[in-house]
Amino acid sequence: MRFWLPTVGAVALLCPFALAQRDDPGFAAGTTNILLAANGGRIIAYSSEMLDENKRPVPQWQAANLIDGKYVTGTYRPEDSHGWSSNVPPKQGDPAWIIFAFRDEKTRLITRLVLDPTTVDPPVIGRGARDFELYVSTTTKDGPWALVKSGRLLNKPLRQTFDFLPVEARYLRLVITSNWGSDRFVELGEVECYEAIAGEQVLDQLIIRLENLLRDLKRYRDSVTLNQPLFPEVQPAPEGDTTDTAPPASQ
Ligand SMILES: [Ca+2]
């Protein structure tokens, strides 16, 4: 029989802060964009990216531009990075999508998505991303996927922040279900993601939970290796034994 080892995920499920409200001061979004390529973020797959007449990707519009940390701001247009553009418009039942991973494809506890729809194309031509859904997978890059956030972007050249309850994620799947009217493409400038950082009080709770889990694991180990009950200190006295054998107080 195998020991059950508490993963961070199991601990998160057991911990009260997993049910914390959004404004719970025990949690805050970190300040490091863990999707940034320079921080180890990666693009695993995408539905499409703009192709030229020879069916070759257009570097200025490739999906990798979503995590390159280059932004179109004001009159500034990075020459080699205009944003990401799909090669087809999103349609009902056939959305555009991108799958991301963090450094070394490690699982992270995340709580914030930031989308910047700004590209070199003006909002008025309707190519900007509009409605989106964010899914996470804690296992494989092919899912199973759990929806953690859906929302609508403003059709404005602004970084836009979407917070959600902390959730574990190994892979992110950002699904763009609509644009602002274009029948050509859907575009997006940059995608950022931030971890949930626990406050001091929450850390104390987590430590207590972990200590309790360790104690239970030791009990389980002893019950298997020493063939003893899980809770020997509260075993009833053997039949016929009339001695007063109050169990010692448990620690
Ligand atoms: Ca970019």
Side-chain angles (χ1 to χ4, degrees), residues 8 13 26 29 46 51 61 63 65 69 73 75 83 89 99 127 157 159 162 169 220 227 251:
V8 172
L13 279 175
Y46 47 81
L51 303 176
W61 289 105
N65 297 345
T73 52
T75 56
I99 296 173
R127 295 179 183 175
R159 285 172 75 249
F162 300 89
Y220 179 71
N227 194 29
Q251 297 300 306

Side-chain angles (χ1 to χ4, degrees), residues 65-71 81 83 189-190:
N65 297 345
L66 287 170
I67 54 170
D68 63 359
K70 295 179 181 177
Y71 299 79
S81 179
E190 189 84 5

Side-chain angles (χ1 to χ4, degrees), residues 16-170:
F17 65 68
L19 301 172
Q21 297 301 306
R22 249 174 83 164
D23 56 357
D24 187 328
F27 261 111
T31 55
T32 301
N33 171 16
I34 59 173
L35 265 193
L36 186 68
N39 291 334
R42 291 177 51 195
I43 287 180
I44 301 289
Y46 47 81
S47 57
S48 72
E49 59 185 4
M50 187 187 286
L51 303 176
D52 64 18
E53 60 271 20
N54 298 314
K55 305 290 183 193
R56 286 183 305 221
V58 179
Q60 290 88 344
W61 289 105
Q62 63 187 344
N65 297 345
L66 287 170
I67 54 170
D68 63 359
K70 295 179 181 177
Y71 299 79
V72 174
T73 52
T75 56
Y76 175 66
R77 301 172 163 217
E79 272 186 32
D80 57 347
S81 179
H82 297 170
W84 160 72
S85 175
S86 67
N87 202 43
V88 291
K91 294 187 184 134
Q92 195 167 13
D94 188 18
W97 51 266
I98 309 104
I99 296 173
F100 303 91
F102 308 119
R103 182 185 297 280
D104 300 327
E105 298 185 29
K106 291 270 173 61
T107 299
R108 312 293 281 266
L109 188 69
I110 61 170
T111 193
R112 174 171 289 176
L113 174 74
V114 176
L115 300 175
D116 182 2
T118 319
T119 70
V120 299
D121 284 337
V124 69
I125 64 174
R127 295 179 183 175
R130 190 170 86 154
D131 296 296
F132 74 89
E133 294 166 350
L134 177 69
Y135 297 83
V136 298
S137 163
T138 54
T139 48
T140 78
K141 59 184 173 53
D142 302 313
W145 299 104
L147 177 67
V148 298
K149 187 73 180 178
S150 57
R152 174 173 292 183
L153 285 153
L154 300 172
N155 194 23
K156 293 183 176 174
L158 300 168
R159 285 172 75 249
Q160 295 164 48
T161 297
F162 300 89
D163 286 343
F164 42 87
L165 287 176
V167 62
E168 285 198 312
R170 189 173 181 202

